Amino acid sequence: MDTSDNEATAAAAEAKKKTPKAAAGKGKATGKGKAAAGPKASAKESSLLKQKSPAEFFAENKNIAGFDNPGKSLYTTMRELVENALDSAESISELPDIEITVEEITRTKFNTMIGLEDRQRFDEALYDDFESEKDREKRLAKEARFQETQAKNAALGKKVKEAPSVRGKGRGEAALFKVTCKDNGRGMPHDDIPNMLGRVLSGTKYGLRQTRGKFGLGAKMALIWSKMSTGLPIEIKSSMKDQNYTSFCRLDIDIHKNIPHVHLHEKRENKTHWHGAEIEVIIEGNWTTHRSKILHYMRQMAVITPYAQFLFKFLSDAADKNLTIKFARRTDVMPPVPLQTKHHPSAVDLLLIKRLVAETTKQNLLQFLQHEFVNISKPHAERLIGEMGPDFSPKMTVKSLTSQQLVRIHQLFRQAKFDDPSGNCLSPAGEYNLRLGIIKELHPDMVATHASSAQVFEGHPFIVEAGISIGGKDVKQGLNIFRFANRIPLLFEQGADVITRTALKRIPWSSYKINHQQDKIGVFVSIVSTKIPFKGTGKEYIGDDITEISSAVKSTLKQCCLQLKSKIVKKLQARERQDRKRNLNRYIPDVARAIMETLVEIADQSPPKRPRYDKEDEELLEKVNSEEVTEMTFRDCLTQHVEQVDYEMALDYAMQSGVSQEPREAIYLNSLEGSYKFVDLQSPVFMFRFVP
């Protein structure tokens, strides 16, 4: 036993010899010590390292994924389900046929679903929307004063305002909705359904490619919101092509562990041979505040995907609120499926290089550079390796690269010159589809479209497509701007977007004979890329700080304006010709009468007094005397002359303008039923399909 043990034993013996009073005092001191130690213990506990699962992070920061409030959550849920359905159908080259139903669930119906008995209010004053007698008197007095003021204004002929809506001071009851989305896409493998929908940041769309998603959450965030707002699970029905059964799964998510919690997962008979997926989720939402946004989204989606058919329904116990809208398919020409591509050397960071090294199957550095990046040929790779220094060789194994060597590779990638990536991996909507979509939904008087060639920012290819329409139904005066990114509509935070700023500030509309304040102008711009440079936490707009994108948007819109200017000038000239023709025709009767009176007066003169005329003139005078030539004869001749001059002027203008500038007429082809072998010949403004 060492010295410290002896000291501890002696201290214990001395403590036993103390009086009870001293012991009591000691106890009090000890109690105070424990009390003093409380905050320290609490601080120690608060300093413990904690972790959050991805699901828990997005649940606490749901505004990042577009779930700011109940109304926005309803919109985002519907949008995510629709975009997943489109991706699923396009992945198997199937023309999308999507049904979306939003059904309002009353509180009583919801309680019945979860087995909760309705309970009447007993203490009204306990509730947030309670109105006391004094508050009620104030409200009625205010309403009476308002009605009195309105009556005076009406008597004086002034404008009468609508009565303000009465709102309770409380939050009121939350509105619940069942959102259902059914498609005819690929479907999901039976065993993968729980992980595909019940595990955040897991999916099939990861990789460098053009995708519709923003965060890779999709229906998973809707499931998280459902769990937070109603606690009900999500239901999925799915069947793949040529599959004789339908998968049914009811699940929710363990937010803290980020794993699916499966309630029921079974196979059912597929009698109709249907393929696709049907997802049903019950969430808290607000239809009143976001009704217009949801309908605008559906309408814009119909513009950018005219090859898809959408059926949207809103169901409610109040029959007057029910709504059914069908956005019919206009074409069966689909854009190609976006291809996964490899990283451009100028767009990679050090962390990505390390991940590629860890995942590559290539053995040596030369093969690694050739096959893991785009636009690096074998000779180029050899030159790069030579530039890296004596520590590098083409045959050295990739896995043996040190951290310092990886930094050297990264530095060289940032400084070296590489060819720009091509846009072959991108899948824009196409001018044909964009034009069809605009005509189908807006019915404009004239429309012009243009697509830029593939361009590059920060090593990522992008393509800008634009369309400008003038006139149409349900279009307000001025500029109506419609923004799309990777073929999905962007409806929020429009003011800071590069498309909005370019259209408002950088296009000289008057130079193209367009009145941007009085005309009904639709501006449609779609940007597709392997990386959309969204700004803000919600990823609702594209920043105006990227010169390449800003310049491409401006150039594409100007090309559309040039097309419209040509059409507008022709229209103005045609109107001028019609006005000139109308004015000439108006004077024909007076001119014909004056000519006839003059000729009759000359013909009535005696031959000695009448001057000599040419033979042709003498014949004319004889015809006047014999009434072979009358006033109606001159009218007919003048009318024919006006028509001939008008035709010659129009023909001369057409020859000067060229055939390419002639008016174009849209030709639409009906969808083919059944299986046919055919050949498509496409151009920006038409498509011919030859069926043998």
Side-chain angles (χ1 to χ4, degrees), residues 38-136:
K40 294 182 179 179
S42 178
K44 185 176 182 181
E45 290 177 2
S46 64
S47 64
L48 292 176
L49 188 63
K50 297 180 181 179
Q51 292 183 341
K52 287 184 180 179
S53 70
E56 193 174 4
F57 172 80
F58 281 106
E60 294 179 0
N61 301 276
K62 55 186 183 295
N63 61 302
I64 295 178
F67 287 74
D68 307 51
N69 51 63
K72 183 81 176 290
S73 300
L74 179 62
Y75 162 80
T76 305
T77 297
M78 187 273 304
R79 191 202 71 194
E80 292 285 2
L81 295 180
V82 168
E83 291 167 10
N84 282 353
L86 282 171
D87 287 337
S88 178
E90 291 174 2
S91 67
I92 57 173
S93 300
E94 188 86 17
L95 291 171
D97 194 345
I98 300 172
E99 297 179 14
I100 310 102
T101 304
V102 179
E103 180 182 357
E104 190 173 17
I105 305 291
T106 62
R107 178 65 62 183
T108 301
K109 188 175 180 180
F110 174 74
N111 289 345
T112 303
M113 292 171 59
I114 64 175
L116 182 63
E117 182 180 355
D118 276 345
R119 182 176 174 83
Q120 297 295 327
R121 293 186 179 185
F122 291 100
D123 188 355
E124 289 287 346
L126 181 65
Y127 292 90
D128 199 24
D129 57 356
F130 171 72
E131 185 180 38
S132 66
E133 187 65 27
K134 187 176 180 181
D135 292 337
R136 182 173 179 275

Side-chain angles (χ1 to χ4, degrees), residues 330-348:
R330 191 60 183 269
T331 177
D332 56 3
V333 179
M334 295 175 61
V337 178
L339 302 176
Q340 185 167 346
T341 186
K342 296 173 183 176
H343 295 275
H344 192 267
S346 63
V348 297

Side-chain angles (χ1 to χ4, degrees), residues 526-546:
S526 172
I527 301 175
V528 296
S529 176
T530 53
K531 180 186 178 182
I532 297 292
F534 288 115
K535 297 292 184 180
T537 56
K539 294 191 174 184
E540 292 290 352
Y541 71 97
I542 301 173
D544 193 25
D545 56 344
I546 299 177

Side-chain angles (χ1 to χ4, degrees), residues 221-288:
M221 192 63 211
L223 175 56
I224 292 175
W225 176 243
S226 172
K227 189 174 180 68
M228 295 175 66
S229 59
T230 67
L232 293 178
I234 191 172
E235 290 188 358
I236 307 102
K237 298 176 186 175
S238 176
S239 181
M240 304 185 73
K241 260 191 172 182
D242 302 324
Q243 195 169 271
N244 59 4
Y245 65 88
T246 299
S247 301
F248 178 82
C249 187
R250 184 184 296 118
L251 62 87
D252 62 18
I253 185 172
D254 187 329
I255 292 180
H256 301 291
K257 296 181 180 179
N258 191 31
I259 58 174
H261 177 211
V262 179
H263 297 249
L264 178 63
H265 194 191
E266 63 182 10
K267 296 180 180 179
R268 298 177 178 178
E269 188 177 0
N270 187 8
K271 295 181 180 179
T272 59
H273 303 288
W274 164 75
H275 64 85
E278 181 178 353
I279 299 178
E280 180 182 296
V281 59
I282 298 177
I283 61 171
E284 180 184 348
N286 192 327
W287 169 256
T288 304

